[in-house]
Amino acid sequence: MSRQEPESGDDSKQGGIQVIARAAAIMRTLSEHPQGLSLAAIAQAVRLPRSTVQRIVCALEAEYLVEALGPSGGFRLGAALGQLVHQTQTDIISLVRPYLECLSNRLQESVALSKRAGEKIHVLDRIVAERDLRVVFPIGAFAPMHSTSAGKVLLAGLSDDEVRELLPDPLPLMTRHTRDLPALLAELAEIRKSGFTFDHEECSEGISGGSVSLDTYLGRYAISVVLPAARAARHIEAIREALLACKRDIERAIGRAACRR
């Protein structure tokens, strides 16, 4: 009988990476089914043999990252996972800031992270561009949802009925460019398709901005590029591409729907 050769360092490393990737796929699948799934259902979802899934699930169960549902069979995510998330992934600002810095450096414009606060937008963090003509705004600032690109991408996550219930009619006129409610609802329909919007001096004269929504397990936010209106029109496509790329990078790392294959 010939003696089996030990695994090389590279083979062992690749095997370890494959196991981690498979375990991550199983955990993502279980995150989408909080009621739990059987081993057969997990195997079908991740396209792996049932025996492979069983070995990985047993290892995850030993670390309390997955737990059995009891006599009914099946598995769901375990309590240890929630503890890890609570201890290490609770601050959206520190998680997103490196991406905001990259976005600002790429475009040489000011960028912001915002969330909804009633019928207003609340600025949680911002990076101010290092250039002569730039937009500077304070952290903690509030602005109307209906007249800002950040507010509009978050409103697009609501139904039209919810928007009508949330916002006054008529909408407050912030500038001569501010949209009325019918025009806003039409724009929201377009945002739901494209995932991006731009405001042209709708909140403040001389200031424009583009935004995308950010969907994470910590909630729904908006990331925005804010710049002088004088140079906005010729850069809309570059801003759109940069924002969508930034959104993909962040949601791949921390989004609820990240890394699906």
Side-chain angles (χ1 to χ4, degrees):
M1 182 185 299
S2 63
R3 188 174 177 180
Q4 186 175 2
E5 293 294 327
E7 288 187 350
S8 70
D10 287 345
D11 289 343
S12 177
K13 180 179 179 181
Q14 289 300 318
I17 292 171
Q18 185 182 60
V19 170
I20 293 171
R22 288 174 170 180
I26 289 169
M27 294 175 71
R28 284 195 297 271
T29 297
L30 290 177
S31 74
E32 296 167 0
H33 298 85
Q35 76 281 4
L37 288 175
S38 66
L39 286 173
I42 298 171
Q44 183 177 11
V46 299
R47 299 180 182 179
L48 290 172
R50 188 183 185 281
S51 58
T52 300
V53 169
Q54 185 171 13
R55 288 197 300 271
I56 295 173
V57 166
C58 287
L60 292 171
E61 186 181 15
E63 299 297 330
Y64 303 100
L65 294 170
V66 164
E67 62 184 18
L69 292 175
S72 61
F75 295 86
R76 65 185 177 192
L77 292 178
L81 184 63
Q83 184 180 21
L84 290 172
V85 170
H86 178 72
Q87 290 175 341
T88 65
Q89 302 285 352
T90 57
D91 182 1
I92 187 68
I93 295 174
S94 62
L95 288 169
V96 171
R97 175 163 264 268
Y99 298 93
L100 296 184
E101 291 173 344
C102 289
L103 180 62
S104 180
N105 289 336
R106 174 176 175 176
L107 296 172
Q108 290 298 297
E109 301 290 358
S110 299
V111 302
L113 172 71
S114 307
K115 71 173 183 179
R116 175 185 160 192
E119 59 186 56
K120 293 183 180 295
I121 283 295
H122 181 208
V123 177
L124 300 176
D125 196 17
R126 56 97 169 97
I127 308 294
V128 176
E130 296 294 335
R131 59 188 303 171
D132 292 338
L133 183 60
R134 59 186 179 173
V135 177
V136 180
F137 47 91
I139 295 173
F142 289 86
M145 291 191 77
H146 70 279
S147 61
T148 57
S149 60
K152 289 188 288 185
V153 293
L154 294 182
L155 286 173
L158 306 176
S159 68
D160 284 357
D161 287 342
E162 289 172 322
V163 172
R164 290 188 186 95
E165 186 175 336
L166 176 66
L167 299 180
D169 188 13
L171 296 174
L173 192 64
M174 308 303 297
T175 74
R176 60 191 176 89
H177 301 286
T178 305
R179 297 173 184 267
D180 60 16
L181 186 56
L184 175 63
L185 293 174
E187 183 179 1
L188 296 183
E190 292 301 316
I191 296 170
R192 293 177 188 122
K193 297 176 185 177
S194 68
F196 169 80
T197 194
F198 210 87
D199 78 79
H200 299 274
E201 303 183 79
E202 295 171 38
C203 187
S204 299
E205 295 285 353
I207 297 176
S208 295
S211 295
V212 295
S213 64
L214 191 61
D215 189 21
T216 79
Y217 70 86
L218 292 170
R220 191 174 174 85
Y221 299 84
I223 46 176
S224 309
V225 175
V226 187
L227 69 165
R231 63 170 176 261
R234 64 182 183 273
H235 295 305
I236 292 177
E237 185 57 27
I239 290 169
R240 185 188 72 84
E241 290 180 1
L243 277 168
L244 289 172
C246 183
K247 170 187 171 73
R248 285 193 298 269
D249 289 344
I250 295 172
E251 291 184 350
R252 187 178 293 119
I254 65 170
R256 290 198 301 262
C259 295
R260 291 182 182 168
R261 294 178 173 84

